[in-house]
Amino acid sequence: SIAAMNNPSEMRAEIKHFKYTFPYCFDGDKQQVSRDIGVAVTPDFFVYDKEFKLVYRGAFDASRPTPQGYFNPSEPLWTVEGIKVGATPDGSYLRAALDALISENTSIISSIPQHPSEGCSVKWIPGENEPSWSVSEYQYPEAVSYHHAWNRKYYLWAIAYDAVYYVLSFFGYERPPIGNELRKGGI
């Protein structure tokens, strides 16, 4: 697998840690579902009506995270009207789409505003499964080096996490998903 954190054991830990009560799909090593529905970035939300017609595809809301990591410009490189950098997510775009769908009013449903998703590109597995409308980052040596380094970092921390939480499990502690710690920048 290309992204080590996107594996079933980490997903199970995340489900348990965050107490998900909704289906959470592992797309496997073929990425067939993502390819079939046309996922381009994460997160990318898709809402279908009862006839499985796509009525909304786009962003969760207008919030965007504040810049983190090595690339942190002092001024925005571009601005998009309505985008709220650093705001608390409220799910307003997705909620509006779902509310329109629940109304069952066809004129309201057909006029659901679409808000493009912004995020990291999907890391497609190179080769025959890669969609024709996407260009794999893995054709660039620097991208391959970056992702291999990221996976090595993950595996080292996963081993440490497993060892520490094995001992802590005797005292009632449960291992949180390691991806959560990596996203916070703590590792």
Side-chain angles (χ1 to χ4, degrees):
S1 157
I2 288 178
M5 291 186 326
N6 299 335
N7 65 58
S9 67
E10 284 300 327
M11 292 172 70
R12 279 191 294 278
E14 186 174 326
I15 289 166
K16 190 172 187 178
H17 181 76
F18 293 107
K19 299 175 177 55
Y20 292 168
T21 59
F22 50 85
Y24 187 29
C25 173
F26 175 65
D27 204 6
D29 290 333
K30 299 276 187 219
Q31 300 173 309
Q32 190 66 45
V33 174
S34 299
R35 228 179 57 184
D36 288 349
I37 63 174
V39 174
V41 299
T42 59
D44 205 359
F45 292 87
F46 296 78
V47 176
Y48 294 89
D49 66 12
K50 59 187 170 191
E51 280 88 38
F52 297 104
K53 178 183 168 214
L54 182 64
V55 295
Y56 178 75
R57 177 193 180 176
F60 183 63
D61 59 23
S63 70
R64 299 295 182 271
T66 54
Q68 298 175 358
Y70 297 110
F71 183 68
N72 196 352
S74 58
E75 296 180 20
L77 300 177
W78 64 86
T79 58
V80 177
E81 188 175 326
I83 297 300
K84 304 171 191 166
V85 176
T88 302
D90 62 11
S92 58
Y93 295 165
L94 183 59
R95 183 178 293 116
L98 293 172
D99 288 346
L101 194 60
I102 290 169
S103 78
E104 296 186 1
N105 181 322
T106 54
S107 65
I108 294 173
I109 293 170
S110 65
S111 63
I112 295 173
Q114 305 294 307
H115 303 278
S117 296
E118 263 183 58
C120 295
S121 64
V122 172
K123 307 307 180 258
W124 297 106
I125 298 169
E128 65 187 62
N129 294 320
E130 191 175 343
S132 60
W133 44 264
S134 175
V135 176
S136 174
E137 293 179 18
Y138 295 98
Q139 68 179 316
Y140 304 106
E142 62 275 11
V144 172
S145 297
Y146 171 79
H147 289 289
H148 285 186
W150 180 260
N151 286 345
R152 280 192 302 275
K153 180 179 180 181
Y154 163 80
Y155 286 124
L156 290 172
W157 281 105
I159 292 167
Y161 248 51
D162 288 343
V164 168
Y165 278 96
Y166 173 76
V167 172
L168 291 176
S169 69
F170 293 107
F171 301 99
Y173 291 95
E174 293 183 12
R175 178 189 179 280
I178 193 170
N180 192 43
E181 294 301 317
L182 286 169
R183 282 188 287 274
K184 287 193 289 190
I187 295 178

